[in-house]
Amino acid sequence: MLRIEDALQLMLDHTPALPEETVALTEAVGRVLQQDALSDLDLPPFDRARMDGYAVRSADAASAPARLREIGEAAAGFAFNGHVEAGQAVRIMTGAPVPAGADAVQKIEVIQVGTDGWIELHEPVTAGQFITPRASEARHGDVAVKVGERITPATAAVLASFGHARVTVARRPRLALLSTGSELVEVHETPRDAQIRNSNTYSLAGYAARAGVEVIHTAIVRDDFDATCNAISTALQQADVVMLSGGVSMGDYDLVKPALLALGAGVLVEKVAMHPGKPTVFAKLGDKVIFGLPGNPVSVAVSFHLFARPVLLKMQGANDIHLPRWRAHVTRTVKGAPPRRSHQPASLLIRDGRAEVEPLKWSGSSDLVAFMQADALIVVPEDRASLNTGELAEVIQLPQ
């Protein structure tokens, strides 16, 4: 049984890289950049006003009140082409270029505008006031976005500002999801007798989408050896990654590992010292990656976030593949599961300026209703039977 860190490293060491492709910026959010994106201009490209008001010479308004003559206007997209001389001011709008000769902007709220072409400033100004200097945000030729960065909506705005209408990114991993178990029925069906609806496909598809993955195939696989082999083989023909849930433990109907071995896959991980999620499986067949995750909904979620998510992100060349980890005080006693490291669903909050984490009341790894409220996992070390109320704990933040 492997330690979590050893199991993850083994998986990452056997993670293949996906090829590059070029896409329109409109399709790039969520993708991983494969080439540094450079700035093609200074940003801002001129000294820019941060306020609506008047552009002035600071020497003319070092004390207040100061009376100046208005000589023109500058607006966003329309520069004032003259030169501000002593005793002059230019009406200016937020985002407009500061005219030559002016070195400060005073906001309109403290200016009295007359009808005779004169204005009076009721507060003094200092040089540089309310001006964003040219190139203060980026310089021409700078690396604006580094290779390996996942493109967020904010990143897309930066790329657009520097003219990157198309970007080179990693191809999305193609994922096939197989839910094993003869007890499973589709979501639109009414369960009978010992049946339950298939829920893991929907949670895993959502988690995968947040990791930039394209789900191309889903299926329920009954507990039959030939059916399991055929389902995996079919999925491998279409997908880069096949992810199964259920069928990975030691029962008579846990057929995933025997099927993988029969297909010629190399099983690199089959047990991890963790709770929940001990029977997590990782295998390779050629350049294809196969995950066998536990069947219980909470177990499958924990295993996905600790192992599958980092692997899927590394396939895309992402720099940051791990979920954020924090330290927070537990609000009540949390039980561990020595000698395995435990991950308990919880809610992370700030109370009276202190980071706290509230363990959720749940009935075990099948309690998907309780896990729905979780935004974090409390980590209980392998050598601890519990963490006490108020104790500082490691917390893994879950994506929302």
Side-chain angles (χ1 to χ4, degrees), residues 53-91:
Y54 280 83
V56 302
R57 289 162 27 107
S58 59
D60 291 338
S63 60
R67 195 164 186 264
L68 304 172
R69 175 173 288 279
E70 181 177 339
I71 61 168
E73 181 178 278
F78 298 95
F80 175 78
N81 293 321
H83 192 279
V84 179
E85 305 291 349
Q88 296 179 338
V90 171
R91 181 79 169 96

PDB file of all heavy atoms in Angstrom, residues 53-91:
ATOM      1  N   GLY A  53     -11.831  64.811 -14.675  1.00  0.00           N
ATOM      2  CA  GLY A  53     -11.442  66.069 -14.036  1.00  0.00           C
ATOM      3  C   GLY A  53     -10.703  66.960 -15.007  1.00  0.00           C
ATOM      4  O   GLY A  53     -11.113  67.110 -16.162  1.00  0.00           O
ATOM      5  N   TYR A  54      -9.573  67.500 -14.546  1.00  0.00           N
ATOM      6  CA  TYR A  54      -8.761  68.387 -15.382  1.00  0.00           C
ATOM      7  C   TYR A  54      -7.295  67.999 -15.288  1.00  0.00           C
ATOM      8  O   TYR A  54      -6.791  67.685 -14.192  1.00  0.00           O
ATOM      9  CB  TYR A  54      -8.940  69.845 -14.960  1.00  0.00           C
ATOM     10  CG  TYR A  54     -10.216  70.443 -15.506  1.00  0.00           C
ATOM     11  CD1 TYR A  54     -11.431  70.248 -14.856  1.00  0.00           C
ATOM     12  CD2 TYR A  54     -10.204  71.184 -16.692  1.00  0.00           C
ATOM     13  CE1 TYR A  54     -12.611  70.775 -15.365  1.00  0.00           C
ATOM     14  CE2 TYR A  54     -11.380  71.720 -17.210  1.00  0.00           C
ATOM     15  CZ  TYR A  54     -12.578  71.509 -16.547  1.00  0.00           C
ATOM     16  OH  TYR A  54     -13.746  72.035 -17.070  1.00  0.00           O
ATOM     17  N   ALA A  55      -6.642  67.975 -16.454  1.00  0.00           N
ATOM     18  CA  ALA A  55      -5.196  67.784 -16.514  1.00  0.00           C
ATOM     19  C   ALA A  55      -4.525  69.147 -16.353  1.00  0.00           C
ATOM     20  O   ALA A  55      -4.877  70.107 -17.046  1.00  0.00           O
ATOM     21  CB  ALA A  55      -4.806  67.155 -17.840  1.00  0.00           C
ATOM     22  N   VAL A  56      -3.561  69.226 -15.419  1.00  0.00           N
ATOM     23  CA  VAL A  56      -2.937  70.513 -15.090  1.00  0.00           C
ATOM     24  C   VAL A  56      -1.439  70.318 -14.896  1.00  0.00           C
ATOM     25  O   VAL A  56      -0.934  69.195 -14.835  1.00  0.00           O
ATOM     26  CB  VAL A  56      -3.562  71.102 -13.801  1.00  0.00           C
ATOM     27  CG1 VAL A  56      -5.066  71.280 -13.947  1.00  0.00           C
ATOM     28  CG2 VAL A  56      -3.256  70.200 -12.586  1.00  0.00           C
ATOM     29  N   ARG A  57      -0.756  71.438 -14.786  1.00  0.00           N
ATOM     30  CA  ARG A  57       0.643  71.446 -14.348  1.00  0.00           C
ATOM     31  C   ARG A  57       0.649  71.541 -12.825  1.00  0.00           C
ATOM     32  O   ARG A  57       0.029  72.432 -12.249  1.00  0.00           O
ATOM     33  CB  ARG A  57       1.380  72.647 -14.946  1.00  0.00           C
ATOM     34  CG  ARG A  57       1.630  72.552 -16.437  1.00  0.00           C
ATOM     35  CD  ARG A  57       1.962  73.902 -17.063  1.00  0.00           C
ATOM     36  NE  ARG A  57       2.574  74.845 -16.138  1.00  0.00           N
ATOM     37  CZ  ARG A  57       3.870  75.205 -16.140  1.00  0.00           C
ATOM     38  NH1 ARG A  57       4.693  74.679 -17.034  1.00  0.00           N
ATOM     39  NH2 ARG A  57       4.327  76.088 -15.284  1.00  0.00           N
ATOM     40  N   SER A  58       1.307  70.605 -12.169  1.00  0.00           N
ATOM     41  CA  SER A  58       1.292  70.597 -10.701  1.00  0.00           C
ATOM     42  C   SER A  58       1.862  71.894 -10.135  1.00  0.00           C
ATOM     43  O   SER A  58       1.432  72.356  -9.069  1.00  0.00           O
ATOM     44  CB  SER A  58       2.072  69.397 -10.162  1.00  0.00           C
ATOM     45  OG  SER A  58       3.419  69.413 -10.610  1.00  0.00           O
ATOM     46  N   ALA A  59       2.782  72.518 -10.853  1.00  0.00           N
ATOM     47  CA  ALA A  59       3.368  73.783 -10.374  1.00  0.00           C
ATOM     48  C   ALA A  59       2.325  74.895 -10.307  1.00  0.00           C
ATOM     49  O   ALA A  59       2.461  75.833  -9.515  1.00  0.00           O
ATOM     50  CB  ALA A  59       4.517  74.192 -11.288  1.00  0.00           C
ATOM     51  N   ASP A  60       1.250  74.776 -11.119  1.00  0.00           N
ATOM     52  CA  ASP A  60       0.212  75.805 -11.123  1.00  0.00           C
ATOM     53  C   ASP A  60      -0.825  75.601 -10.021  1.00  0.00           C
ATOM     54  O   ASP A  60      -1.645  76.499  -9.779  1.00  0.00           O
ATOM     55  CB  ASP A  60      -0.521  75.809 -12.472  1.00  0.00           C
ATOM     56  CG  ASP A  60       0.352  76.294 -13.613  1.00  0.00           C
ATOM     57  OD1 ASP A  60       1.351  77.002 -13.333  1.00  0.00           O
ATOM     58  OD2 ASP A  60       0.049  75.953 -14.775  1.00  0.00           O
ATOM     59  N   ALA A  61      -0.830  74.419  -9.408  1.00  0.00           N
ATOM     60  CA  ALA A  61      -1.878  74.132  -8.422  1.00  0.00           C
ATOM     61  C   ALA A  61      -1.285  73.450  -7.197  1.00  0.00           C
ATOM     62  O   ALA A  61      -1.910  72.579  -6.591  1.00  0.00           O
ATOM     63  CB  ALA A  61      -2.960  73.260  -9.049  1.00  0.00           C
ATOM     64  N   ALA A  62      -0.078  73.859  -6.822  1.00  0.00           N
ATOM     65  CA  ALA A  62       0.556  73.281  -5.633  1.00  0.00           C
ATOM     66  C   ALA A  62      -0.135  73.719  -4.357  1.00  0.00           C
ATOM     67  O   ALA A  62      -0.002  73.096  -3.309  1.00  0.00           O
ATOM     68  CB  ALA A  62       2.032  73.669  -5.594  1.00  0.00           C
ATOM     69  N   SER A  63      -0.892  74.790  -4.439  1.00  0.00           N
ATOM     70  CA  SER A  63      -1.703  75.243  -3.314  1.00  0.00           C
ATOM     71  C   SER A  63      -3.085  75.605  -3.856  1.00  0.00           C
ATOM     72  O   SER A  63      -3.261  75.836  -5.058  1.00  0.00           O
ATOM     73  CB  SER A  63      -1.055  76.449  -2.619  1.00  0.00           C
ATOM     74  OG  SER A  63      -0.920  77.531  -3.533  1.00  0.00           O
ATOM     75  N   ALA A  64      -4.036  75.644  -2.968  1.00  0.00           N
ATOM     76  CA  ALA A  64      -5.422  75.928  -3.379  1.00  0.00           C
ATOM     77  C   ALA A  64      -5.948  77.107  -2.556  1.00  0.00           C
ATOM     78  O   ALA A  64      -5.528  77.328  -1.415  1.00  0.00           O
ATOM     79  CB  ALA A  64      -6.283  74.689  -3.176  1.00  0.00           C
ATOM     80  N   PRO A  65      -6.892  77.863  -3.139  1.00  0.00           N
ATOM     81  CA  PRO A  65      -7.460  77.642  -4.476  1.00  0.00           C
ATOM     82  C   PRO A  65      -6.501  78.064  -5.572  1.00  0.00           C
ATOM     83  O   PRO A  65      -5.607  78.885  -5.359  1.00  0.00           O
ATOM     84  CB  PRO A  65      -8.704  78.512  -4.458  1.00  0.00           C
ATOM     85  CG  PRO A  65      -8.362  79.616  -3.499  1.00  0.00           C
ATOM     86  CD  PRO A  65      -7.513  79.002  -2.431  1.00  0.00           C
ATOM     87  N   ALA A  66      -6.697  77.466  -6.774  1.00  0.00           N
ATOM     88  CA  ALA A  66      -5.892  77.820  -7.944  1.00  0.00           C
ATOM     89  C   ALA A  66      -6.839  78.060  -9.117  1.00  0.00           C
ATOM     90  O   ALA A  66      -7.727  77.246  -9.381  1.00  0.00           O
ATOM     91  CB  ALA A  66      -4.913  76.706  -8.256  1.00  0.00           C
ATOM     92  N   ARG A  67      -6.645  79.176  -9.804  1.00  0.00           N
ATOM     93  CA  ARG A  67      -7.532  79.538 -10.926  1.00  0.00           C
ATOM     94  C   ARG A  67      -6.775  79.350 -12.235  1.00  0.00           C
ATOM     95  O   ARG A  67      -5.688  79.880 -12.430  1.00  0.00           O
ATOM     96  CB  ARG A  67      -7.988  80.983 -10.763  1.00  0.00           C
ATOM     97  CG  ARG A  67      -9.177  81.365 -11.637  1.00  0.00           C
ATOM     98  CD  ARG A  67      -9.802  82.664 -11.118  1.00  0.00           C
ATOM     99  NE  ARG A  67     -11.015  82.989 -11.834  1.00  0.00           N
ATOM    100  CZ  ARG A  67     -11.094  83.824 -12.870  1.00  0.00           C
ATOM    101  NH1 ARG A  67      -9.985  84.445 -13.295  1.00  0.00           N
ATOM    102  NH2 ARG A  67     -12.242  84.061 -13.465  1.00  0.00           N
ATOM    103  N   LEU A  68      -7.386  78.518 -13.140  1.00  0.00           N
ATOM    104  CA  LEU A  68      -6.736  78.184 -14.392  1.00  0.00           C
ATOM    105  C   LEU A  68      -7.720  78.353 -15.552  1.00  0.00           C
ATOM    106  O   LEU A  68      -8.932  78.243 -15.376  1.00  0.00           O
ATOM    107  CB  LEU A  68      -6.230  76.725 -14.375  1.00  0.00           C
ATOM    108  CG  LEU A  68      -5.289  76.326 -13.230  1.00  0.00           C
ATOM    109  CD1 LEU A  68      -5.045  74.829 -13.243  1.00  0.00           C
ATOM    110  CD2 LEU A  68      -3.974  77.085 -13.313  1.00  0.00           C
ATOM    111  N   ARG A  69      -7.169  78.561 -16.757  1.00  0.00           N
ATOM    112  CA  ARG A  69      -8.016  78.710 -17.946  1.00  0.00           C
ATOM    113  C   ARG A  69      -8.138  77.354 -18.652  1.00  0.00           C
ATOM    114  O   ARG A  69      -7.146  76.689 -18.917  1.00  0.00           O
ATOM    115  CB  ARG A  69      -7.444  79.751 -18.904  1.00  0.00           C
ATOM    116  CG  ARG A  69      -8.231  79.857 -20.233  1.00  0.00           C
ATOM    117  CD  ARG A  69      -7.771  80.998 -21.093  1.00  0.00           C
ATOM    118  NE  ARG A  69      -8.188  82.280 -20.536  1.00  0.00           N
ATOM    119  CZ  ARG A  69      -9.410  82.801 -20.686  1.00  0.00           C
ATOM    120  NH1 ARG A  69     -10.332  82.125 -21.358  1.00  0.00           N
ATOM    121  NH2 ARG A  69      -9.696  83.975 -20.172  1.00  0.00           N
ATOM    122  N   GLU A  70      -9.372  76.993 -18.969  1.00  0.00           N
ATOM    123  CA  GLU A  70      -9.645  75.752 -19.722  1.00  0.00           C
ATOM    124  C   GLU A  70      -9.364  76.004 -21.205  1.00  0.00           C
ATOM    125  O   GLU A  70      -9.895  76.951 -21.788  1.00  0.00           O
ATOM    126  CB  GLU A  70     -11.092  75.315 -19.525  1.00  0.00           C
ATOM    127  CG  GLU A  70     -11.437  74.025 -20.253  1.00  0.00           C
ATOM    128  CD  GLU A  70     -12.868  73.564 -19.992  1.00  0.00           C
ATOM    129  OE1 GLU A  70     -13.473  73.990 -18.966  1.00  0.00           O
ATOM    130  OE2 GLU A  70     -13.382  72.783 -20.806  1.00  0.00           O
ATOM    131  N   ILE A  71      -8.540  75.117 -21.804  1.00  0.00           N
ATOM    132  CA  ILE A  71      -8.160  75.335 -23.210  1.00  0.00           C
ATOM    133  C   ILE A  71      -8.576  74.190 -24.138  1.00  0.00           C
ATOM    134  O   ILE A  71      -8.305  74.240 -25.335  1.00  0.00           O
ATOM    135  CB  ILE A  71      -6.637  75.549 -23.341  1.00  0.00           C
ATOM    136  CG1 ILE A  71      -5.870  74.304 -22.848  1.00  0.00           C
ATOM    137  CG2 ILE A  71      -6.192  76.790 -22.607  1.00  0.00           C
ATOM    138  CD1 ILE A  71      -4.388  74.327 -23.202  1.00  0.00           C
ATOM    139  N   GLY A  72      -9.229  73.167 -23.603  1.00  0.00           N
ATOM    140  CA  GLY A  72      -9.631  72.071 -24.480  1.00  0.00           C
ATOM    141  C   GLY A  72     -10.079  70.859 -23.694  1.00  0.00           C
ATOM    142  O   GLY A  72     -10.269  70.923 -22.466  1.00  0.00           O
ATOM    143  N   GLU A  73     -10.209  69.737 -24.390  1.00  0.00           N
ATOM    144  CA  GLU A  73     -10.756  68.524 -23.780  1.00  0.00           C
ATOM    145  C   GLU A  73     -10.039  67.294 -24.322  1.00  0.00           C
ATOM    146  O   GLU A  73      -9.637  67.244 -25.489  1.00  0.00           O
ATOM    147  CB  GLU A  73     -12.251  68.417 -24.083  1.00  0.00           C
ATOM    148  CG  GLU A  73     -12.925  67.200 -23.467  1.00  0.00           C
ATOM    149  CD  GLU A  73     -14.413  67.168 -23.752  1.00  0.00           C
ATOM    150  OE1 GLU A  73     -15.156  67.851 -23.027  1.00  0.00           O
ATOM    151  OE2 GLU A  73     -14.812  66.475 -24.712  1.00  0.00           O
ATOM    152  N   ALA A  74      -9.870  66.301 -23.458  1.00  0.00           N
ATOM    153  CA  ALA A  74      -9.333  64.987 -23.853  1.00  0.00           C
ATOM    154  C   ALA A  74     -10.284  63.922 -23.324  1.00  0.00           C
ATOM    155  O   ALA A  74     -10.690  63.959 -22.159  1.00  0.00           O
ATOM    156  CB  ALA A  74      -7.938  64.779 -23.276  1.00  0.00           C
ATOM    157  N   ALA A  75     -10.651  62.989 -24.190  1.00  0.00           N
ATOM    158  CA  ALA A  75     -11.540  61.900 -23.796  1.00  0.00           C
ATOM    159  C   ALA A  75     -10.931  60.578 -24.234  1.00  0.00           C
ATOM    160  O   ALA A  75      -9.971  60.544 -25.023  1.00  0.00           O
ATOM    161  CB  ALA A  75     -12.914  62.090 -24.430  1.00  0.00           C
ATOM    162  N   ALA A  76     -11.467  59.479 -23.725  1.00  0.00           N
ATOM    163  CA  ALA A  76     -10.973  58.169 -24.135  1.00  0.00           C
ATOM    164  C   ALA A  76     -11.132  58.030 -25.646  1.00  0.00           C
ATOM    165  O   ALA A  76     -12.231  58.150 -26.181  1.00  0.00           O
ATOM    166  CB  ALA A  76     -11.737  57.067 -23.404  1.00  0.00           C
ATOM    167  N   GLY A  77     -10.008  57.806 -26.314  1.00  0.00           N
ATOM    168  CA  GLY A  77     -10.024  57.693 -27.765  1.00  0.00           C
ATOM    169  C   GLY A  77      -9.821  59.001 -28.493  1.00  0.00           C
ATOM    170  O   GLY A  77      -9.698  59.009 -29.726  1.00  0.00           O
ATOM    171  N   PHE A  78      -9.785  60.115 -27.762  1.00  0.00           N
ATOM    172  CA  PHE A  78      -9.617  61.436 -28.392  1.00  0.00           C
ATOM    173  C   PHE A  78      -8.607  62.235 -27.568  1.00  0.00           C
ATOM    174  O   PHE A  78      -8.920  62.717 -26.478  1.00  0.00           O
ATOM    175  CB  PHE A  78     -10.942  62.181 -28.469  1.00  0.00           C
ATOM    176  CG  PHE A  78     -11.967  61.473 -29.317  1.00  0.00           C
ATOM    177  CD1 PHE A  78     -12.894  60.630 -28.737  1.00  0.00           C
ATOM    178  CD2 PHE A  78     -11.978  61.640 -30.695  1.00  0.00           C
ATOM    179  CE1 PHE A  78     -13.828  59.968 -29.509  1.00  0.00           C
ATOM    180  CE2 PHE A  78     -12.915  60.988 -31.475  1.00  0.00           C
ATOM    181  CZ  PHE A  78     -13.840  60.144 -30.891  1.00  0.00           C
ATOM    182  N   ALA A  79      -7.395  62.373 -28.098  1.00  0.00           N
ATOM    183  CA  ALA A  79      -6.345  63.091 -27.380  1.00  0.00           C
ATOM    184  C   ALA A  79      -6.446  64.594 -27.641  1.00  0.00           C
ATOM    185  O   ALA A  79      -6.954  65.033 -28.676  1.00  0.00           O
ATOM    186  CB  ALA A  79      -4.977  62.577 -27.816  1.00  0.00           C
ATOM    187  N   PHE A  80      -5.949  65.365 -26.680  1.00  0.00           N
ATOM    188  CA  PHE A  80      -5.779  66.804 -26.879  1.00  0.00           C
ATOM    189  C   PHE A  80      -4.399  66.998 -27.483  1.00  0.00           C
ATOM    190  O   PHE A  80      -3.393  66.592 -26.905  1.00  0.00           O
ATOM    191  CB  PHE A  80      -5.897  67.540 -25.538  1.00  0.00           C
ATOM    192  CG  PHE A  80      -5.615  69.012 -25.634  1.00  0.00           C
ATOM    193  CD1 PHE A  80      -6.565  69.883 -26.140  1.00  0.00           C
ATOM    194  CD2 PHE A  80      -4.376  69.527 -25.238  1.00  0.00           C
ATOM    195  CE1 PHE A  80      -6.310  71.248 -26.227  1.00  0.00           C
ATOM    196  CE2 PHE A  80      -4.107  70.874 -25.319  1.00  0.00           C
ATOM    197  CZ  PHE A  80      -5.080  71.736 -25.821  1.00  0.00           C
ATOM    198  N   ASN A  81      -4.333  67.592 -28.641  1.00  0.00           N
ATOM    199  CA  ASN A  81      -3.083  67.630 -29.388  1.00  0.00           C
ATOM    200  C   ASN A  81      -2.198  68.836 -29.074  1.00  0.00           C
ATOM    201  O   ASN A  81      -1.083  68.931 -29.589  1.00  0.00           O
ATOM    202  CB  ASN A  81      -3.376  67.591 -30.895  1.00  0.00           C
ATOM    203  CG  ASN A  81      -3.980  66.254 -31.308  1.00  0.00           C
ATOM    204  OD1 ASN A  81      -3.572  65.212 -30.802  1.00  0.00           O
ATOM    205  ND2 ASN A  81      -4.963  66.298 -32.197  1.00  0.00           N
ATOM    206  N   GLY A  82      -2.711  69.748 -28.268  1.00  0.00           N
ATOM    207  CA  GLY A  82      -1.905  70.916 -27.933  1.00  0.00           C
ATOM    208  C   GLY A  82      -0.969  70.672 -26.769  1.00  0.00           C
ATOM    209  O   GLY A  82      -0.741  69.527 -26.347  1.00  0.00           O
ATOM    210  N   HIS A  83      -0.441  71.748 -26.200  1.00  0.00           N
ATOM    211  CA  HIS A  83       0.504  71.676 -25.088  1.00  0.00           C
ATOM    212  C   HIS A  83      -0.029  72.552 -23.962  1.00  0.00           C
ATOM    213  O   HIS A  83      -0.431  73.694 -24.186  1.00  0.00           O
ATOM    214  CB  HIS A  83       1.881  72.185 -25.535  1.00  0.00           C
ATOM    215  CG  HIS A  83       2.970  71.877 -24.556  1.00  0.00           C
ATOM    216  ND1 HIS A  83       3.204  72.634 -23.421  1.00  0.00           N
ATOM    217  CD2 HIS A  83       3.911  70.891 -24.558  1.00  0.00           C
ATOM    218  CE1 HIS A  83       4.226  72.137 -22.765  1.00  0.00           C
ATOM    219  NE2 HIS A  83       4.685  71.068 -23.432  1.00  0.00           N
ATOM    220  N   VAL A  84      -0.063  72.004 -22.754  1.00  0.00           N
ATOM    221  CA  VAL A  84      -0.554  72.741 -21.594  1.00  0.00           C
ATOM    222  C   VAL A  84       0.561  73.659 -21.091  1.00  0.00           C
ATOM    223  O   VAL A  84       1.626  73.178 -20.677  1.00  0.00           O
ATOM    224  CB  VAL A  84      -1.024  71.789 -20.477  1.00  0.00           C
ATOM    225  CG1 VAL A  84      -1.511  72.586 -19.272  1.00  0.00           C
ATOM    226  CG2 VAL A  84      -2.125  70.859 -20.981  1.00  0.00           C
ATOM    227  N   GLU A  85       0.275  74.948 -21.134  1.00  0.00           N
ATOM    228  CA  GLU A  85       1.244  75.936 -20.680  1.00  0.00           C
ATOM    229  C   GLU A  85       0.872  76.422 -19.283  1.00  0.00           C
ATOM    230  O   GLU A  85      -0.159  76.028 -18.725  1.00  0.00           O
ATOM    231  CB  GLU A  85       1.278  77.123 -21.652  1.00  0.00           C
ATOM    232  CG  GLU A  85       1.557  76.745 -23.099  1.00  0.00           C
ATOM    233  CD  GLU A  85       2.972  76.250 -23.320  1.00  0.00           C
ATOM    234  OE1 GLU A  85       3.807  76.392 -22.404  1.00  0.00           O
ATOM    235  OE2 GLU A  85       3.238  75.709 -24.418  1.00  0.00           O
ATOM    236  N   ALA A  86       1.705  77.273 -18.705  1.00  0.00           N
ATOM    237  CA  ALA A  86       1.451  77.817 -17.368  1.00  0.00           C
ATOM    238  C   ALA A  86       0.074  78.473 -17.317  1.00  0.00           C
ATOM    239  O   ALA A  86      -0.309  79.224 -18.222  1.00  0.00           O
ATOM    240  CB  ALA A  86       2.525  78.822 -17.001  1.00  0.00           C
ATOM    241  N   GLY A  87      -0.674  78.134 -16.245  1.00  0.00           N
ATOM    242  CA  GLY A  87      -1.983  78.734 -16.032  1.00  0.00           C
ATOM    243  C   GLY A  87      -3.093  78.117 -16.851  1.00  0.00           C
ATOM    244  O   GLY A  87      -4.228  78.617 -16.826  1.00  0.00           O
ATOM    245  N   GLN A  88      -2.833  76.997 -17.525  1.00  0.00           N
ATOM    246  CA  GLN A  88      -3.846  76.368 -18.371  1.00  0.00           C
ATOM    247  C   GLN A  88      -4.256  74.999 -17.820  1.00  0.00           C
ATOM    248  O   GLN A  88      -3.542  74.385 -17.036  1.00  0.00           O
ATOM    249  CB  GLN A  88      -3.308  76.213 -19.803  1.00  0.00           C
ATOM    250  CG  GLN A  88      -3.017  77.530 -20.506  1.00  0.00           C
ATOM    251  CD  GLN A  88      -2.461  77.314 -21.888  1.00  0.00           C
ATOM    252  OE1 GLN A  88      -1.918  76.252 -22.220  1.00  0.00           O
ATOM    253  NE2 GLN A  88      -2.593  78.354 -22.738  1.00  0.00           N
ATOM    254  N   ALA A  89      -5.422  74.517 -18.273  1.00  0.00           N
ATOM    255  CA  ALA A  89      -5.940  73.206 -17.869  1.00  0.00           C
ATOM    256  C   ALA A  89      -6.736  72.626 -19.029  1.00  0.00           C
ATOM    257  O   ALA A  89      -7.298  73.364 -19.844  1.00  0.00           O
ATOM    258  CB  ALA A  89      -6.810  73.322 -16.627  1.00  0.00           C
ATOM    259  N   VAL A  90      -6.788  71.294 -19.075  1.00  0.00           N
ATOM    260  CA  VAL A  90      -7.550  70.594 -20.111  1.00  0.00           C
ATOM    261  C   VAL A  90      -8.557  69.668 -19.435  1.00  0.00           C
ATOM    262  O   VAL A  90      -8.189  68.874 -18.561  1.00  0.00           O
ATOM    263  CB  VAL A  90      -6.611  69.780 -21.028  1.00  0.00           C
ATOM    264  CG1 VAL A  90      -7.421  68.873 -21.964  1.00  0.00           C
ATOM    265  CG2 VAL A  90      -5.725  70.703 -21.846  1.00  0.00           C
ATOM    266  N   ARG A  91      -9.808  69.806 -19.808  1.00  0.00           N
ATOM    267  CA  ARG A  91     -10.851  68.887 -19.317  1.00  0.00           C
ATOM    268  C   ARG A  91     -10.496  67.480 -19.786  1.00  0.00           C
ATOM    269  O   ARG A  91     -10.180  67.270 -20.959  1.00  0.00           O
ATOM    270  CB  ARG A  91     -12.201  69.304 -19.905  1.00  0.00           C
ATOM    271  CG  ARG A  91     -13.378  68.438 -19.449  1.00  0.00           C
ATOM    272  CD  ARG A  91     -13.818  68.836 -18.055  1.00  0.00           C
ATOM    273  NE  ARG A  91     -15.091  68.214 -17.712  1.00  0.00           N
ATOM    274  CZ  ARG A  91     -15.227  67.089 -17.015  1.00  0.00           C
ATOM    275  NH1 ARG A  91     -14.136  66.443 -16.589  1.00  0.00           N
ATOM    276  NH2 ARG A  91     -16.409  66.612 -16.723  1.00  0.00           N
TER     277      ARG A  91
END
